[in-house]
Amino acid sequence: MKVLGINGSHRKESTTLFFLKKALEICEKEGHETETIELWDKRLEYCKHCNHCRDHPGECSIEDDVPGIFRKMKESDAIILASPTYFACVSGRMKALMDRSITLRRDNYTLKNKPGGGIISGASRNGGQEFVLSQIINFFLLQEMLPVSDKQTAHFGGIAWVPRGSKPEDDKLGIETCENLGRKIAEVLKMMKS
Ligand SMILES: Cc1cc2nc3c(=O)[nH]c(=O)nc-3n(C[C@H](O)[C@H](O)[C@H](O)COP(=O)(O)O)c2cc1C
């Protein structure tokens, strides 16, 4: 089965990507195919609330890279959304992608019943990562997806803390939460297959 990871960081040298890869590596070890999409280099406009998708469910009036990303989301069996914390919110690019996905919701909930996991990085130890995870979990619920936990480590998903001057590799607990999220995704996919 296929697990898609989307990284909402605005920069190429992304710490969030390091943690997303930890979750995807576990999914691969469990026998799943994975793919990563990064948003920093994509043409990604804001939803204009033009309501084109109300009359044409699944379509969007904006011609950029988003329809291609949606195609990959639809083809995947599970989705992990990863984002840095920006003022205790998801990144602007991740939020733009979420808003644009209203067309999928209007298209009879195209993403429904796909397991979804969230991974958030932040520079402060209590920088709002849990608030951001709840935004991602709410997104999954609004799309009728199935949010999964990271089992017993952080509960709400992958939570990473990379303060200034340290490396992602230093956050052992953060890595563990991401790996456990990958394990949970694989566990749910296995249940769905049987
Ligand atoms: C505009 C902006 C706002 C930020 N706000 C927060 C914040 O509220 N809490 C936090 O812990 N870190 C905050 N950070 C730090 C980033 O979340 C952190 O460095 C993150 O790991 C960067 O991930 P990336 O390298 O994948 O982009 C902020 C960074 C930027 C640029």
Side-chain angles (χ1 to χ4, degrees), residues 9 11 13-17 84-88 121-124 127 129:
S9 172
R11 57 184 184 170
E13 304 303 329
S14 161
T15 53
T16 312
L17 181 64
T85 306
Y86 284 177
F87 283 90
S121 77
S124 301
Q129 290 91 329

Side-chain angles (χ1 to χ4, degrees), residues 41-158:
D41 61 347
K42 299 292 179 293
R43 288 180 304 132
L44 199 170
E45 303 293 326
Y46 295 120
C47 173
K48 297 188 288 187
H49 201 167
C50 67
N51 279 329
H52 175 85
C53 59
R54 189 165 277 160
D55 299 325
H56 305 90
E59 290 183 13
C60 184
S61 65
I62 304 170
E63 290 179 14
D64 60 6
D65 291 335
V66 171
I69 297 173
F70 288 163
R71 202 164 40 250
K72 296 207 177 236
M73 289 171 85
K74 285 191 254 179
E75 287 166 4
S76 301
D77 299 292
I79 299 170
I80 298 177
L81 294 184
S83 175
T85 306
Y86 284 177
F87 283 90
C89 299
V90 287
S91 71
R93 283 181 168 260
M94 181 59 80
K95 182 64 167 72
L97 185 74
M98 287 174 164
D99 291 345
R100 291 282 298 282
S101 77
I102 192 167
T103 188
L104 304 180
R105 194 170 185 270
R106 287 176 171 170
D107 189 19
N108 197 24
Y109 298 87
T110 320
L111 302 178
K112 77 175 160 224
N113 294 337
K114 293 183 195 286
I119 292 177
I120 308 300
S121 77
S124 301
R125 188 178 186 282
N126 300 102
Q129 290 91 329
E130 288 185 41
F131 298 133
V132 190
L133 268 175
S134 76
Q135 292 163 9
I136 286 185
I137 289 165
N138 286 340
F139 169 79
F140 292 146
L141 292 172
L142 284 159
Q143 292 288 5
E144 281 207 24
M145 291 175 63
L146 308 173
V148 306
S149 75
D150 59 299
K151 296 165 151 298
Q152 294 93 12
T153 33
H155 313 302
F156 305 105

